[in-house]
Amino acid sequence: ADIRRTGSAAVDLCDMASGSCDIFFELRLSPWDFAAGALLIEEAGGMICGLTKDGAPSPLTFDCSSGVLACAP
């Protein structure tokens, strides 16, 4: 097991879509940080969702900042 952080949510989500990573988690991201990566994850067959303030999964929205949880295909 390994934890890697590039400092860019977009790059981390691209790595996940390509199969280089298994899971992505961030407590607070703006929509512009995850919108393109969310599309790549879904098109690659992975799953991505938002997180509520108490940590429960929720549908991903693009109108406000939220937590993000994603897993590889």
Side-chain angles (χ1 to χ4, degrees), residues 8-55:
S8 168
V11 171
D12 291 341
L13 290 169
C14 287
D15 285 345
M16 179 167 298
S18 72
S20 297
C21 300
D22 294 324
I23 192 166
F24 174 84
F25 169 75
E26 186 70 47
L27 287 175
R28 187 172 175 94
L29 287 175
S30 296
W32 52 83
D33 292 324
F34 63 80
L39 177 63
L40 291 171
I41 294 292
E42 290 175 352
E43 290 294 318
M47 305 270 304
I48 187 164
C49 67
L51 296 171
T52 63
K53 290 184 181 186
D54 64 352

